[in-house]
């Protein structure tokens, strides 16, 4: 995914913070943000030891995402933490 498409996808998440699916976020992070970070020489790490909490490091920002129970949708706070990390690696600008 090129940088412009990646930025557009992040904007879509920002526009719908209440309807971001957990699997969609992890897919974007692991399949697209990770290669982007590697190509820019930035740190990327996704840690999960079998529980519902995932610790992610993107660039210099570390944040936690808890996989929801009973619904596929993430709590908006986790999406906002993701967006903060995307700002630091130049993939999102708050409007």
């Amino acid at each position: 995914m090129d940088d412009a498409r990646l930025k557009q996808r992040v904007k879509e998440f920002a526009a719908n913070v209440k309807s971001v699916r957990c699997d969609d976020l992890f897919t974007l992070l692991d399949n697209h943000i990770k290669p982007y970070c590697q190509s820019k020489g930035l740190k990327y790490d996704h840690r999960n030891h079998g529980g519902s909490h995932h610790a992610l490091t993107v660039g210099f920002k570390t944040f936690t995402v808890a996989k929801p129970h009973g619904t596929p949708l993430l709590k908006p706070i986790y999406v906002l933490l993701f967006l903060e990390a995307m700002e630091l690696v130049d993939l999102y600008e708050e409007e």
Side-chain angles (χ1 to χ4, degrees), residues 51-68:
S52 60
H53 287 75
H54 297 253
L56 296 128
T57 300
V58 178
F60 296 105
K61 175 78 171 172
T62 300
F63 60 101
T64 302
V65 175
K67 196 167 186 178

Side-chain angles (χ1 to χ4, degrees), residues 67-93:
K67 196 167 186 178
H69 299 283
T71 179
L73 302 178
L74 289 170
K75 289 185 177 182
I77 187 65
Y78 297 125
V79 179
L80 295 175
L81 292 171
F82 162 75
L83 293 173
E84 285 178 13
M86 295 302 98
E87 280 186 84
L88 297 174
V89 294
D90 296 325
L91 286 175
Y92 175 69
E93 289 182 23

Side-chain angles (χ1 to χ4, degrees), residues 5 8 14-15 22 32 34 55 67 80 83 87 95:
R5 178 68 184 121
Q8 181 59 37
C22 185
H32 303 291
K34 180 180 181 178
K67 196 167 186 178
L80 295 175
L83 293 173
E87 280 186 84
E95 296 174 2

Side-chain angles (χ1 to χ4, degrees), residues 33-46:
I33 304 292
K34 180 180 181 178
Y36 172 84
C37 287
Q38 290 171 339
S39 72
K40 303 287 185 192
L42 299 169
K43 183 175 181 181
Y44 178 88
D45 189 27
H46 181 169

